[in-house]
Amino acid sequence: MSTSSQTRSVVIPLQLSPQARPTTVPAVFRAAARLLAANGHHQGDYCPDPFDRVLKSSHAERPLSIVAAVRCVVSGSPHRETPLSEAAVKVLAGRLEVDGEPAWNDEAFWLEMHVAAWGDVEGRTTESAVAVLEAAADACEVAA
């Protein structure tokens, strides 16, 4: 008789576990910051090899853009939009300036593009992306 309570033969990484998914915008920012700190910040697309033509690792184990990290911690996929991930992107877009300009459009697509443009600035580091996410989480918690 086995004493193991594991019911699956595959261990699910913590960030992919439904129980570990954040349920508030500040929690999304903190989880995305941890994911970027662990795997790195990616520029130019959601992640390296987003269509899995070469890499076999999960997207959550690759460097991610900020938008991809936000989506990944909420839904498990850097491509899947949810109301919570889009709310987080909207809050973040409102905090960031690109070339001295704030987000100029309130539509989800343009908010995503604004956050992505901030992350794609030449020389943008993982540390700065993590710091922005942590600061956004702090600001949201103070405002609540």
Side-chain angles (χ1 to χ4, degrees), residues 1-5:
M1 183 163 134
S2 173
T3 59
S4 173
S5 63

Side-chain angles (χ1 to χ4, degrees), residues 54-75:
V54 176
L55 298 174
K56 300 302 177 205
S57 60
S58 75
H59 292 135
E61 295 171 338
R62 301 177 196 173
L64 298 170
S65 71
I66 296 172
V67 172
V70 165
R71 288 181 179 164
C72 197
V73 299
V74 174
S75 70

